[in-house]
Amino acid sequence: MKKTSSIRWASFRDLEIIKTMIERGSVTLTADELGISQPAVSKSISNIEDKAGKILFLREKGKLTPTADALFIYEEINNIFSSLQRIDDGNWESRRLQTIRIISTPSIAYSFLGPLTASYFKEKSNLNVSFSVVNSVDMINELREGRADIALGNTDINNSLAELSVQPLLKSKIVCIMHINHELAKKEILHVDDFSFRNIIMYTQRNILSTKIRKKFNDAGVKINVVAEVSDTMLALCFARENTGIFLASSFPVMSQLNENLIVKDIDLDIYDEMVLFSLNSSLNPHISDYIEYVTVKTTELQKNVL
């Protein structure tokens, strides 16, 4: 008979301590709830980290914040306790798949986040995805009201909520997109005066980037002729391909969407678009941290290949 062996690096009590620590957020509350001393809680956490070979909690200013590894372990601990409860209750139903709810603006979703998300979930048989396109001004409310887990948007979105976590994703300079036959196509670099009374394709005023661009022109005393207002980059490129006007957008991801009829010109306006991933600090879903890490790495790779 083949001999089987197993390594047990945590007792049920250890797992209960980890579970309670993540749910309560402090050593003091964990000790109080479980009826043990604070040193016992700290020692148990340290022992599990040593045996697992992973850092489970970041220790900053007396506060312990669970890492992604801790949250993955937490998910498994919940599965163990849930299984025991189902056995005790005689409930043999299968566990439901977890769902990550993602929201983003149209330009971001259609250009690169959609394909990246599809690639990520292709390999995750235990996950479902809910992906919605929203206006940037609605993002924070969607998160705050529990209708989304992750949002990718502009860093200028009003984020005055302490419960939101912000993960910087990318920063790209604003460039000018135009048809190859446009009258400014022969210039190497465009200056602010080049836009005076030019036909401009502009984001609608609900778009945060539109506000930044309009302010730059206004501060420079330059009058522009907005011939079309569009909700997203994909629509703007449709107008630019017909040579109806020029369009200002962030170099990434727009440069990945160009065709042979469009060219990119650098401009001397100091405008940048910074994108970040928003999520709730209170979320205990480890797949959210894993997804954010995946998107951050892959987006960096894409940006290097495009620019």
Side-chain angles (χ1 to χ4, degrees), residues 148-176:
D149 300 310
I150 304 170
L152 176 53
N154 193 285
T155 190
D156 294 312
I157 293 174
N158 182 22
N159 173 32
S160 58
L161 300 175
E163 63 264 33
L164 283 184
S165 174
V166 179
Q167 172 65 45
L169 186 64
L170 62 90
K171 179 179 181 179
S172 56
K173 193 175 188 299
I174 299 302
V175 294
C176 185

Side-chain angles (χ1 to χ4, degrees), residues 68-252:
D69 285 324
L71 294 178
F72 273 115
I73 291 175
Y74 172 76
E75 183 182 38
E76 295 303 326
I77 292 173
N78 274 335
N79 291 338
I80 292 171
F81 281 87
S82 295
S83 296
L84 291 174
Q85 187 64 52
R86 287 198 301 273
I87 291 172
D88 191 45
D89 295 341
N91 181 3
W92 319 119
E93 292 181 351
S94 300
R95 288 173 25 219
R96 292 187 303 170
L97 294 177
Q98 287 211 29
T99 298
I100 296 181
R101 299 166 300 171
I102 304 161
I103 56 176
S104 185
T105 59
S107 299
I108 295 173
Y110 300 140
S111 59
F112 74 95
L113 189 60
L116 282 186
T117 301
S119 177
Y120 176 80
F121 278 89
K122 182 180 179 180
E123 305 300 326
K124 304 292 181 178
S125 60
N126 61 331
L127 286 177
N128 286 334
V129 60
S130 171
F131 198 131
S132 301
V133 172
V134 300
N135 293 317
S136 58
V137 294
D138 297 327
M139 280 189 172
I140 300 304
N141 284 336
E142 292 278 329
L143 286 170
R144 183 181 60 188
E145 295 171 6
R147 296 196 296 270
D149 300 310
I150 304 170
L152 176 53
N154 193 285
T155 190
D156 294 312
I157 293 174
N158 182 22
N159 173 32
S160 58
L161 300 175
E163 63 264 33
L164 283 184
S165 174
V166 179
Q167 172 65 45
L169 186 64
L170 62 90
K171 179 179 181 179
S172 56
K173 193 175 188 299
I174 299 302
V175 294
C176 185
I177 314 298
M178 65 182 67
H179 194 276
I180 56 174
N181 294 327
H182 192 275
E183 54 195 354
L184 294 177
K186 294 182 179 180
K187 300 197 67 170
E188 290 297 323
I189 298 178
L190 301 182
H191 301 282
V192 65
D193 291 341
D194 292 322
F195 295 91
S196 182
F197 296 103
R198 298 285 183 185
N199 289 344
I200 304 288
I201 304 159
M202 185 70 71
Y203 291 118
T204 61
Q205 296 190 36
R206 285 176 59 85
N207 188 295
I208 292 174
L209 190 56
S210 172
T211 302
K212 295 171 69 172
I213 293 173
R214 291 172 192 266
K215 185 178 185 303
K216 284 288 184 179
F217 284 133
N218 185 64
D219 291 345
V222 172
K223 301 291 184 181
I224 58 175
N225 181 32
V226 178
V227 294
E229 289 190 341
V230 296
S231 61
D232 61 83
T233 303
M234 302 301 117
L235 283 173
L237 293 178
C238 291
F239 282 87
R241 291 188 186 103
E242 297 300 322
N243 201 14
T244 59
I246 55 181
F247 173 54
L248 277 69
S250 56
S251 54
F252 183 86

